[in-house]
């Protein structure tokens, strides 16, 4: 298995220790991306990535190599400490640069492990935010390790190991899980925007060229009949509204 680690901490302390403990339960090749070292400029909010294509982002030379690494891995770990009750600025800036993937989801076969550490509180809230973000990008299954490490010399390795092993087994199984109804909802919302009377150029091109415009959800993922019907109702509704 090939694993990618995206570290959103500017340091290599508690968050990184949890990453390495989780990694000790996994078998395969590992590549680390430390966002602090990538020196990604702040997102300018220019909307180029959404409106005309991710290659038109002024920082695409920094972002797209990381996206390609996600494409190539079997599973990835994405990590952040809690800063001011949210993710670090490093990770938030990276997420902001990937906003176009909300409109054009693609990681339907990927599994992710979220790692969050805090000296005080907020770890579960931050882990939930990263989870929701990844599911908007199409990620099939997200596991979470969220720990409060303040004042503790030793990590709660049993909690880390338990979740890491679940993540490992799932990645190796290559099983694809049925998405939540909310994931199906947003998929069909974005699909309807791509086929409306005045679609954004990049959206229309992506949905048609990939064939996703003809799918109820990511083609590799099976939906039961209830979710298929739900997907088609949502798509028809938004297509009419748009």
């Amino acid at each position: 298995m090939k694993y990618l680690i995206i570290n959103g901490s500017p340091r290599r302390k508690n968050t990184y220790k949890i990453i390495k403990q989780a990694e000790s339960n996994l078998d395969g090749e590992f590549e680390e991306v430390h966002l602090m070292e990538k020196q990604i400029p702040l997102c300018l909010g220019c909307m180029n990535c959404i409106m005309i294509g991710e290659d038109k982002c002024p920082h695409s030379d920094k972002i797209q190599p990381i996206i390609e690494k996600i494409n190539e891995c079997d599973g990835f770990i994405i990590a952040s400490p809690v800063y001011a009750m949210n993710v670090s600025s490093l990770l938030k800036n990276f997420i902001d640069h990937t906003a176009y993937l909300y409109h054009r989801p693609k990681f339907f076969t990927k599994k992710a492990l979220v790692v969050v550490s805090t000296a005080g509180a907020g770890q579960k809230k931050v882990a939930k935010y990263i989870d929701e973000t990844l599911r908007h990008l199409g990620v099939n299954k997200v596991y979470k390790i969220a720990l409060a490490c303040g004042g503790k010399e030793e990590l709660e390795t049993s909690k880390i190991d338990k979740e890491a092993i679940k993540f490992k087994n799932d990645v190796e199984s290559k099983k694809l899980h049925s998405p939540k109804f909310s994931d199906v909802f947003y998929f069909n919302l974005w699909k309807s925007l791509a086929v409306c009377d005045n679609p954004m150029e990049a959206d229309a091109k992506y949905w048609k060229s990939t064939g996703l415009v003809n799918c109820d959800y990511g083609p590799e993922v099976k939906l039961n009949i209830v979710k298929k019907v739900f997907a088609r109702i949502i798509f028809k509704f938004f297509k009419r509204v748009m």
Side-chain angles (χ1 to χ4, degrees):
M1 295 291 103
K2 188 174 182 180
Y3 293 96
L4 174 68
I5 295 164
I6 301 174
N7 181 19
S9 175
R11 307 182 299 170
R12 300 193 189 186
K13 292 194 174 182
N14 287 336
T15 304
Y16 191 64
K17 288 178 182 178
I18 297 171
I19 290 172
K20 299 307 284 185
Q21 180 62 36
E23 181 185 309
S24 70
N25 292 278
L26 310 178
D27 299 319
E29 300 176 13
F30 301 91
E31 181 174 4
E32 296 183 359
V33 172
H34 296 275
L35 296 178
M36 185 70 176
E37 298 172 359
K38 296 302 178 182
Q39 298 184 331
I40 301 170
L42 288 176
C43 173
L44 302 174
C46 65
M47 300 285 285
N48 282 354
C49 63
I50 293 175
M51 302 294 290
I52 55 179
E54 58 270 28
D55 59 321
K56 303 303 180 183
C57 168
H59 312 137
S60 63
D61 60 324
K62 299 279 190 178
I63 301 300
Q64 290 310 307
I66 301 175
I67 298 300
E68 284 308 308
K69 291 179 190 298
I70 297 175
N71 277 328
E72 294 166 2
C73 73
D74 295 295
F76 64 100
I77 298 173
I78 185 164
S80 175
V82 175
Y83 283 178
M85 298 301 286
N86 211 316
V87 295
S88 68
S89 60
L90 290 168
L91 184 55
K92 185 61 171 68
N93 186 45
F94 174 70
I95 290 172
D96 288 348
H97 278 88
T98 66
Y100 70 93
L101 287 169
Y102 276 64
H103 283 243
R104 306 191 286 277
K106 63 189 301 181
F107 301 125
F108 302 108
T109 64
K110 303 302 178 185
K111 315 282 179 64
L113 175 63
V114 170
V115 169
V116 175
S117 72
T118 182
Q123 69 273 24
K124 291 184 179 180
K125 175 185 174 183
V126 171
K128 182 180 179 182
Y129 164 70
I130 301 173
D131 175 8
E132 291 176 345
T133 297
L134 295 178
R135 288 193 293 104
H136 276 292
L137 310 190
V139 174
N140 181 251
K141 181 71 174 179
V142 180
Y143 294 86
K144 298 185 287 290
I145 298 172
L147 295 180
C149 306
K152 298 178 182 178
E153 294 185 3
E154 298 295 328
L155 294 174
E156 298 178 74
T157 56
S158 61
K159 291 184 178 180
I160 300 169
D161 295 344
K162 182 179 179 180
E163 199 69 6
I165 290 170
K166 285 165 60 179
F167 170 61
K168 168 185 178 291
N169 290 340
D170 200 5
V171 171
E172 293 180 352
S173 75
K174 298 188 181 297
K175 173 186 175 183
L176 294 179
H177 303 271
S178 180
K180 296 181 178 180
F181 278 97
S182 59
D183 300 331
V184 177
F185 175 92
Y186 282 109
F187 178 93
N188 285 278
L189 168 61
W190 300 125
K191 183 172 74 169
S192 69
L193 285 172
V195 299
C196 66
D197 290 339
N198 296 293
M200 285 180 274
E201 175 186 338
D203 284 5
K205 180 180 179 181
Y206 175 77
W207 285 88
K208 291 176 182 177
S209 66
T210 59
L212 285 174
V213 72
N214 300 312
C215 300
D216 297 318
Y217 195 71
E220 304 92 343
V221 182
K222 292 183 180 180
L223 299 183
N224 61 35
I225 187 63
V226 175
K227 288 179 180 176
K228 284 183 179 180
V229 171
F230 176 74
R232 293 172 191 183
I233 291 172
I234 292 299
F235 176 65
K236 287 182 179 179
F237 171 76
F238 279 114
K239 185 180 179 183
R240 180 175 298 177
V241 171
M242 300 300 175

